[in-house]
Amino acid sequence: MEANINKLLKDLQKLSTAEEVRRLINCYSLDKTGKVTAISLSNEHKNAKNLSRLILDEEAVALQYINVSGIETLSEIVFRAALPELIYADFSRCKLTEITLPPGFLKLEQLYLHNNELQQITFQGACPKMILLDLANNQLTDFSLPAGFEKLAYLYLPDNKLKSLQLPSDAGRLNTLHLRNNKLDDLPENLVGFSDMEALYLYGNPLLKLPKQIISEDERASSWEAVRSYLQELGKAAIINDRAKLIIVGNGRVGKTSMYRRLKGLPFRKNEPYTHGVQLGLLEKKNLPEVKTDKLNLTVWDFGGQDIFYATHQFFLSEEAVYLLAWTNEENVEPHRLSENERLSFNEKWRSCDYWLDNIRLYSAAGPLLMVQTNSDLPATQLVFNPEWGKEPFNAKSLSFSAAKDYGLPELKNHLVYLLNNSMPLLGKEFPKSYDTVIKSLKKQNVPYITFKDFKIICEKSQITKGNEKELLKFLNNAGVVVYFDSPLLNDTIYIDPNWLTRMVYGLINNKLRKLNGIIDEDYLNDALNVLTAKEKEQFVTLLQKFELIFKRSGDSPPTYIAPQYLPECLSYNEKSFYSSAKERLSRVFTFRFTKFVPENLMINFLSRYGPFSNNVYWKHGIYFNYERQECIVELTLEGEILEVYAGNGLETYDLQQRICNAFVELGKNAQAEISLDNNIWVSWQELKKQFHEFSSEPNHQFFASDGYTKVYLKDYLHFFQAEKSIIDPPEKPSPEIFFSYAWGDQEEKGESREKIANDLYESLKRQDYNVKRDKEEIGYK
């Protein structure tokens, strides 16, 4: 059905003012001359049934406000005339595939087009008053904003298919740019010049020309400060990047160190000692001469395969690296393992290739991966490459190798060179010279850690722009160059020697704690860390607490700490009695499981996080705790590897349920997972999250559970997500009740631009007769 404004007016409620229309639906208003000034039409009204084409012609030139959001049949809006009086337009949640705005929208301040199917949007003229443009959740592949949007402060483009984005230089008042979940390889070159920018959301983009470490892993977090700092330093002076990382993983005794030694040109050693923790090495251009760069600085991380080391792998594995998985038949290395088990202070488990492949993908979703079958001089015990490993998500290649016989060494080097040349986007690309100078200076330091003051001196000598030191430090921490926490007691210490750090970790946390049930008392602590001063011990223990490898036991003085991986397998008699009583009071509110395997470190980290609230009721696979006056029990059932969560009934527990669920997701590194409310119907967590982002405003929306035929309601799962609904998510439209606040800050530091943006938006909302309040303490909607 096709209609213009006049055709839609029939049977709509007539109101006296446009302001009244803005608060209601299925109504309109006229001015004194009889021209339409506002119209609001919902999907339920009979005039909207089957409406597919809306024509805005000369009958609509007096429009100030239009809302036709949610009309699911509407696929085309035709502007046959400009609408010079239009201030607010909401065309969201329709079926629009393209839209063209002619010149003349001189007063338009807010335009909502989110949740359509837009493949193209064209502005034929300027919109000098526009403050907010919402194009979220469409099908746009490129977006170019013309000049004439000098007041635009909020631009939302998440959940599109953008490969190209261009912004005019006069868009300098842009404050928030939301680009989550697109296909951008790069950002607009002029972005760093936008001085009013405060929030930039980039999660879910390839961004091949930027280091992954400056992009926040939290889809709700801004990456602007890190990106701004990096682009500023890059703009000053650049070098060609010759740095890359090679990570070798696999079970203990499979030959990872021997593989590295042969790549390095060092001789094979028959009795290669165990790798304890992380050993660093370096491959250079002379080792891999076919690499495309003039120089090569390939840092090699050789991870030990023992259980204890998994706890700290998480701090060194990274997205931007080539991964080598060393694998072989267990029979090939069993003699070595049996002969040395007695003198090892660490546990040994033999894990399958599937485990290692899945584990790699937790830390590197698309990093190049090569499986190297070692001990290939023993053909009787070779394994067969599973064709599934060569498909998504692993995309692994495989070859055979023997360090003892040098079998496959040329092929290994050729494959490694190919991956470096073709799968490491930053290798051979420009990199900030000042960043490179800092990294070189840190490597020359002959100490395990430095102070923040020392770091600032290095930055000053390396010509880092004043004020960019903290962002550089975050980058170096995320890249695994240093270990740093910006928190009390630790914010003055930067650990620059990973080998020293891992040695200290494993000196404290090892199998000696098994007999002690994981209890680290003052005597044990002093003995294990006897080379450290009292202050250094305090800092190191705090560091392990930040790593969530230990937690402080409540009520002990002097303090006692617990290493969760060495806790007993079950509770004591007295604790069982308390625990059983608590469990009877509570209900199982949800269960959570990972579809392939429980990530190795999940329970260690979870117990460390909630142990301080537990009244000392915990064991290796579960915990009782009381958080903000809410009782809770979390158990990992060994039979099904399912996490069961017990809490009180009622809405007051929803916040805690959300916290626990988010902890599972975070600590599981977003591994494939499922959630159930009744331990029967399971729903994919990834699918649930997708449904929430697309249909959070439609609680009665249904979708299929994991079994493929059971339908569930989104509303039953909303309490796991509601806190995610924040100002960074494109609003469907301003709320009728709005609390508007603004942090004035130091005018010399902030300038007047933020104040102008705030005033513009405030006045815009005020003109629409919303109940707007303003405050000078913070910025946000309510």
Side-chain angles (χ1 to χ4, degrees), residues 694-721:
E694 292 185 14
F695 301 103
S696 61
S697 61
E698 304 172 36
N700 288 320
H701 170 73
Q702 287 184 290
F703 62 100
F704 286 109
S706 296
D707 59 19
Y709 57 84
T710 304
K711 280 194 170 183
V712 295
Y713 285 96
L714 181 60
K715 63 183 178 183
D716 294 332
Y717 301 86
L718 285 179
H719 60 285
F720 295 115
F721 295 97

mmCIF file of all heavy atoms in Angstrom, residues 694-721:
data_model
loop_
_atom_site.group_PDB
_atom_site.id
_atom_site.type_symbol
_atom_site.label_atom_id
_atom_site.label_comp_id
_atom_site.label_asym_id
_atom_site.label_seq_id
_atom_site.Cartn_x
_atom_site.Cartn_y
_atom_site.Cartn_z
ATOM 1 N N GLU A 694 19.462 -7.711 19.073
ATOM 2 C CA GLU A 694 18.560 -7.392 17.966
ATOM 3 C C GLU A 694 17.127 -7.141 18.418
ATOM 4 O O GLU A 694 16.405 -6.370 17.805
ATOM 5 C CB GLU A 694 18.571 -8.527 16.935
ATOM 6 C CG GLU A 694 19.893 -8.662 16.191
ATOM 7 C CD GLU A 694 19.831 -9.711 15.089
ATOM 8 O OE1 GLU A 694 18.705 -10.132 14.734
ATOM 9 O OE2 GLU A 694 20.897 -10.106 14.585
ATOM 10 N N PHE A 695 16.709 -7.803 19.523
ATOM 11 C CA PHE A 695 15.290 -7.762 19.879
ATOM 12 C C PHE A 695 15.046 -7.406 21.350
ATOM 13 O O PHE A 695 14.017 -7.773 21.910
ATOM 14 C CB PHE A 695 14.637 -9.125 19.582
ATOM 15 C CG PHE A 695 14.725 -9.545 18.154
ATOM 16 C CD1 PHE A 695 15.660 -10.509 17.758
ATOM 17 C CD2 PHE A 695 13.896 -8.988 17.196
ATOM 18 C CE1 PHE A 695 15.748 -10.898 16.431
ATOM 19 C CE2 PHE A 695 13.971 -9.376 15.873
ATOM 20 C CZ PHE A 695 14.906 -10.331 15.489
ATOM 21 N N SER A 696 15.970 -6.697 21.969
ATOM 22 C CA SER A 696 15.819 -6.393 23.395
ATOM 23 C C SER A 696 14.580 -5.558 23.684
ATOM 24 O O SER A 696 14.053 -5.588 24.791
ATOM 25 C CB SER A 696 17.066 -5.678 23.923
ATOM 26 O OG SER A 696 17.259 -4.451 23.224
ATOM 27 N N SER A 697 14.101 -4.818 22.701
ATOM 28 C CA SER A 697 12.893 -4.009 22.902
ATOM 29 C C SER A 697 11.623 -4.816 22.674
ATOM 30 O O SER A 697 10.521 -4.281 22.803
ATOM 31 C CB SER A 697 12.913 -2.810 21.944
ATOM 32 O OG SER A 697 12.923 -3.251 20.596
ATOM 33 N N GLU A 698 11.769 -6.091 22.301
ATOM 34 C CA GLU A 698 10.612 -6.950 22.047
ATOM 35 C C GLU A 698 10.705 -8.184 22.940
ATOM 36 O O GLU A 698 11.078 -9.268 22.506
ATOM 37 C CB GLU A 698 10.567 -7.362 20.579
ATOM 38 C CG GLU A 698 10.550 -6.182 19.614
ATOM 39 C CD GLU A 698 10.703 -6.613 18.171
ATOM 40 O OE1 GLU A 698 10.166 -7.680 17.812
ATOM 41 O OE2 GLU A 698 11.378 -5.899 17.405
ATOM 42 N N PRO A 699 10.362 -8.057 24.215
ATOM 43 C CA PRO A 699 10.552 -9.151 25.180
ATOM 44 C C PRO A 699 9.794 -10.427 24.836
ATOM 45 O O PRO A 699 10.194 -11.514 25.249
ATOM 46 C CB PRO A 699 10.076 -8.564 26.507
ATOM 47 C CG PRO A 699 9.262 -7.369 26.138
ATOM 48 C CD PRO A 699 9.815 -6.851 24.860
ATOM 49 N N ASN A 700 8.699 -10.315 24.088
ATOM 50 C CA ASN A 700 7.934 -11.512 23.713
ATOM 51 C C ASN A 700 8.482 -12.196 22.461
ATOM 52 O O ASN A 700 7.886 -13.155 21.974
ATOM 53 C CB ASN A 700 6.465 -11.154 23.508
ATOM 54 C CG ASN A 700 5.761 -10.856 24.816
ATOM 55 O OD1 ASN A 700 5.996 -11.530 25.821
ATOM 56 N ND2 ASN A 700 4.917 -9.838 24.827
ATOM 57 N N HIS A 701 9.589 -11.690 21.967
ATOM 58 C CA HIS A 701 10.227 -12.323 20.811
ATOM 59 C C HIS A 701 10.641 -13.754 21.155
ATOM 60 O O HIS A 701 11.128 -14.032 22.247
ATOM 61 C CB HIS A 701 11.462 -11.514 20.399
ATOM 62 C CG HIS A 701 12.320 -12.192 19.383
ATOM 63 N ND1 HIS A 701 11.960 -12.319 18.065
ATOM 64 C CD2 HIS A 701 13.535 -12.801 19.502
ATOM 65 C CE1 HIS A 701 12.902 -12.976 17.411
ATOM 66 N NE2 HIS A 701 13.874 -13.271 18.253
ATOM 67 N N GLN A 702 10.410 -14.687 20.210
ATOM 68 C CA GLN A 702 10.765 -16.080 20.406
ATOM 69 C C GLN A 702 11.865 -16.499 19.437
ATOM 70 O O GLN A 702 11.970 -15.962 18.331
ATOM 71 C CB GLN A 702 9.545 -16.986 20.186
ATOM 72 C CG GLN A 702 8.511 -16.927 21.300
ATOM 73 C CD GLN A 702 7.387 -17.909 21.070
ATOM 74 O OE1 GLN A 702 6.578 -17.740 20.169
ATOM 75 N NE2 GLN A 702 7.340 -18.956 21.878
ATOM 76 N N PHE A 703 12.655 -17.462 19.849
ATOM 77 C CA PHE A 703 13.681 -18.035 18.978
ATOM 78 C C PHE A 703 13.926 -19.474 19.409
ATOM 79 O O PHE A 703 13.438 -19.923 20.455
ATOM 80 C CB PHE A 703 14.972 -17.210 19.024
ATOM 81 C CG PHE A 703 15.621 -17.157 20.380
ATOM 82 C CD1 PHE A 703 16.697 -17.972 20.687
ATOM 83 C CD2 PHE A 703 15.163 -16.279 21.363
ATOM 84 C CE1 PHE A 703 17.298 -17.926 21.931
ATOM 85 C CE2 PHE A 703 15.760 -16.225 22.606
ATOM 86 C CZ PHE A 703 16.832 -17.058 22.887
ATOM 87 N N PHE A 704 14.691 -20.208 18.596
ATOM 88 C CA PHE A 704 14.867 -21.633 18.841
ATOM 89 C C PHE A 704 15.985 -21.906 19.847
ATOM 90 O O PHE A 704 17.037 -21.260 19.836
ATOM 91 C CB PHE A 704 15.188 -22.363 17.540
ATOM 92 C CG PHE A 704 14.000 -22.517 16.634
ATOM 93 C CD1 PHE A 704 13.914 -21.785 15.463
ATOM 94 C CD2 PHE A 704 12.966 -23.382 16.961
ATOM 95 C CE1 PHE A 704 12.815 -21.909 14.622
ATOM 96 C CE2 PHE A 704 11.870 -23.524 16.132
ATOM 97 C CZ PHE A 704 11.781 -22.782 14.963
ATOM 98 N N ALA A 705 15.734 -22.866 20.713
ATOM 99 C CA ALA A 705 16.762 -23.354 21.627
ATOM 100 C C ALA A 705 17.780 -24.180 20.851
ATOM 101 O O ALA A 705 17.660 -24.375 19.630
ATOM 102 C CB ALA A 705 16.114 -24.182 22.734
ATOM 103 N N SER A 706 18.771 -24.705 21.570
ATOM 104 C CA SER A 706 19.864 -25.428 20.909
ATOM 105 C C SER A 706 19.398 -26.690 20.199
ATOM 106 O O SER A 706 20.044 -27.150 19.243
ATOM 107 C CB SER A 706 20.949 -25.792 21.929
ATOM 108 O OG SER A 706 21.531 -24.632 22.464
ATOM 109 N N ASP A 707 18.266 -27.266 20.642
ATOM 110 C CA ASP A 707 17.805 -28.496 19.999
ATOM 111 C C ASP A 707 17.218 -28.261 18.616
ATOM 112 O O ASP A 707 16.957 -29.207 17.866
ATOM 113 C CB ASP A 707 16.798 -29.222 20.893
ATOM 114 C CG ASP A 707 15.560 -28.372 21.223
ATOM 115 O OD1 ASP A 707 15.296 -27.390 20.508
ATOM 116 O OD2 ASP A 707 14.862 -28.710 22.200
ATOM 117 N N GLY A 708 16.971 -26.994 18.257
ATOM 118 C CA GLY A 708 16.514 -26.676 16.920
ATOM 119 C C GLY A 708 15.009 -26.700 16.723
ATOM 120 O O GLY A 708 14.523 -26.317 15.649
ATOM 121 N N TYR A 709 14.234 -27.120 17.728
ATOM 122 C CA TYR A 709 12.781 -27.151 17.542
ATOM 123 C C TYR A 709 12.008 -26.550 18.719
ATOM 124 O O TYR A 709 10.858 -26.165 18.584
ATOM 125 C CB TYR A 709 12.290 -28.571 17.276
ATOM 126 C CG TYR A 709 12.629 -29.586 18.345
ATOM 127 C CD1 TYR A 709 11.833 -29.739 19.489
ATOM 128 C CD2 TYR A 709 13.751 -30.403 18.213
ATOM 129 C CE1 TYR A 709 12.157 -30.665 20.464
ATOM 130 C CE2 TYR A 709 14.082 -31.344 19.190
ATOM 131 C CZ TYR A 709 13.277 -31.471 20.302
ATOM 132 O OH TYR A 709 13.596 -32.395 21.271
ATOM 133 N N THR A 710 12.604 -26.447 19.898
ATOM 134 C CA THR A 710 11.928 -25.835 21.048
ATOM 135 C C THR A 710 12.077 -24.319 20.979
ATOM 136 O O THR A 710 13.183 -23.810 20.819
ATOM 137 C CB THR A 710 12.506 -26.346 22.371
ATOM 138 O OG1 THR A 710 12.428 -27.769 22.419
ATOM 139 C CG2 THR A 710 11.750 -25.750 23.549
ATOM 140 N N LYS A 711 10.954 -23.604 21.091
ATOM 141 C CA LYS A 711 11.004 -22.150 21.078
ATOM 142 C C LYS A 711 11.007 -21.607 22.505
ATOM 143 O O LYS A 711 10.297 -22.130 23.370
ATOM 144 C CB LYS A 711 9.820 -21.572 20.305
ATOM 145 C CG LYS A 711 10.010 -21.592 18.792
ATOM 146 C CD LYS A 711 8.982 -20.721 18.104
ATOM 147 C CE LYS A 711 9.322 -20.542 16.635
ATOM 148 N NZ LYS A 711 8.372 -19.623 15.951
ATOM 149 N N VAL A 712 11.800 -20.579 22.728
ATOM 150 C CA VAL A 712 11.871 -19.947 24.047
ATOM 151 C C VAL A 712 11.616 -18.453 23.886
ATOM 152 O O VAL A 712 11.793 -17.879 22.806
ATOM 153 C CB VAL A 712 13.248 -20.178 24.706
ATOM 154 C CG1 VAL A 712 13.468 -21.650 24.984
ATOM 155 C CG2 VAL A 712 14.380 -19.626 23.839
ATOM 156 N N TYR A 713 11.184 -17.828 24.982
ATOM 157 C CA TYR A 713 10.930 -16.387 24.985
ATOM 158 C C TYR A 713 12.171 -15.632 25.451
ATOM 159 O O TYR A 713 12.796 -15.998 26.448
ATOM 160 C CB TYR A 713 9.763 -16.048 25.914
ATOM 161 C CG TYR A 713 8.403 -16.396 25.357
ATOM 162 C CD1 TYR A 713 7.790 -17.600 25.699
ATOM 163 C CD2 TYR A 713 7.745 -15.525 24.492
ATOM 164 C CE1 TYR A 713 6.540 -17.924 25.198
ATOM 165 C CE2 TYR A 713 6.494 -15.835 23.981
ATOM 166 C CZ TYR A 713 5.893 -17.036 24.331
ATOM 167 O OH TYR A 713 4.670 -17.356 23.820
ATOM 168 N N LEU A 714 12.477 -14.572 24.742
ATOM 169 C CA LEU A 714 13.627 -13.742 25.116
ATOM 170 C C LEU A 714 13.446 -13.150 26.511
ATOM 171 O O LEU A 714 14.414 -13.020 27.264
ATOM 172 C CB LEU A 714 13.817 -12.622 24.086
ATOM 173 C CG LEU A 714 14.978 -11.668 24.311
ATOM 174 C CD1 LEU A 714 16.307 -12.416 24.309
ATOM 175 C CD2 LEU A 714 14.991 -10.566 23.254
ATOM 176 N N LYS A 715 12.219 -12.816 26.880
ATOM 177 C CA LYS A 715 11.966 -12.159 28.163
ATOM 178 C C LYS A 715 12.430 -13.002 29.355
ATOM 179 O O LYS A 715 12.773 -12.453 30.408
ATOM 180 C CB LYS A 715 10.485 -11.836 28.315
ATOM 181 C CG LYS A 715 9.564 -13.044 28.345
ATOM 182 C CD LYS A 715 8.105 -12.631 28.418
ATOM 183 C CE LYS A 715 7.186 -13.839 28.392
ATOM 184 N NZ LYS A 715 5.758 -13.435 28.402
ATOM 185 N N ASP A 716 12.459 -14.325 29.195
ATOM 186 C CA ASP A 716 12.871 -15.187 30.298
ATOM 187 C C ASP A 716 14.364 -15.093 30.587
ATOM 188 O O ASP A 716 14.830 -15.572 31.637
ATOM 189 C CB ASP A 716 12.501 -16.644 29.984
ATOM 190 C CG ASP A 716 10.996 -16.860 29.935
ATOM 191 O OD1 ASP A 716 10.279 -16.105 30.617
ATOM 192 O OD2 ASP A 716 10.537 -17.755 29.201
ATOM 193 N N TYR A 717 15.126 -14.491 29.662
ATOM 194 C CA TYR A 717 16.585 -14.427 29.802
ATOM 195 C C TYR A 717 17.098 -12.986 29.917
ATOM 196 O O TYR A 717 18.311 -12.778 29.999
ATOM 197 C CB TYR A 717 17.259 -15.092 28.596
ATOM 198 C CG TYR A 717 16.885 -16.545 28.419
ATOM 199 C CD1 TYR A 717 15.738 -16.912 27.710
ATOM 200 C CD2 TYR A 717 17.669 -17.558 28.961
ATOM 201 C CE1 TYR A 717 15.378 -18.242 27.548
ATOM 202 C CE2 TYR A 717 17.325 -18.894 28.804
ATOM 203 C CZ TYR A 717 16.184 -19.225 28.098
ATOM 204 O OH TYR A 717 15.839 -20.543 27.948
ATOM 205 N N LEU A 718 16.188 -12.020 29.910
ATOM 206 C CA LEU A 718 16.619 -10.625 29.879
ATOM 207 C C LEU A 718 17.436 -10.229 31.095
ATOM 208 O O LEU A 718 18.285 -9.333 31.010
ATOM 209 C CB LEU A 718 15.402 -9.697 29.748
ATOM 210 C CG LEU A 718 14.738 -9.635 28.366
ATOM 211 C CD1 LEU A 718 13.545 -8.701 28.407
ATOM 212 C CD2 LEU A 718 15.729 -9.178 27.305
ATOM 213 N N HIS A 719 17.209 -10.881 32.244
ATOM 214 C CA HIS A 719 17.926 -10.450 33.453
ATOM 215 C C HIS A 719 19.419 -10.752 33.376
ATOM 216 O O HIS A 719 20.188 -10.244 34.182
ATOM 217 C CB HIS A 719 17.316 -11.098 34.694
ATOM 218 C CG HIS A 719 17.341 -12.593 34.705
ATOM 219 N ND1 HIS A 719 16.491 -13.358 33.937
ATOM 220 C CD2 HIS A 719 18.096 -13.474 35.407
ATOM 221 C CE1 HIS A 719 16.726 -14.636 34.169
ATOM 222 N NE2 HIS A 719 17.697 -14.738 35.061
ATOM 223 N N PHE A 720 19.840 -11.559 32.392
ATOM 224 C CA PHE A 720 21.273 -11.798 32.219
ATOM 225 C C PHE A 720 21.951 -10.676 31.427
ATOM 226 O O PHE A 720 23.174 -10.652 31.321
ATOM 227 C CB PHE A 720 21.521 -13.119 31.496
ATOM 228 C CG PHE A 720 21.081 -14.328 32.272
ATOM 229 C CD1 PHE A 720 20.054 -15.131 31.804
ATOM 230 C CD2 PHE A 720 21.682 -14.649 33.472
ATOM 231 C CE1 PHE A 720 19.637 -16.241 32.521
ATOM 232 C CE2 PHE A 720 21.274 -15.752 34.201
ATOM 233 C CZ PHE A 720 20.246 -16.557 33.721
ATOM 234 N N PHE A 721 21.152 -9.746 30.884
ATOM 235 C CA PHE A 721 21.706 -8.737 29.982
ATOM 236 C C PHE A 721 21.356 -7.302 30.331
ATOM 237 O O PHE A 721 21.997 -6.391 29.818
ATOM 238 C CB PHE A 721 21.196 -8.968 28.547
ATOM 239 C CG PHE A 721 21.654 -10.240 27.925
ATOM 240 C CD1 PHE A 721 20.849 -11.352 27.950
ATOM 241 C CD2 PHE A 721 22.888 -10.327 27.324
ATOM 242 C CE1 PHE A 721 21.252 -12.537 27.372
ATOM 243 C CE2 PHE A 721 23.308 -11.502 26.746
ATOM 244 C CZ PHE A 721 22.501 -12.613 26.766
#
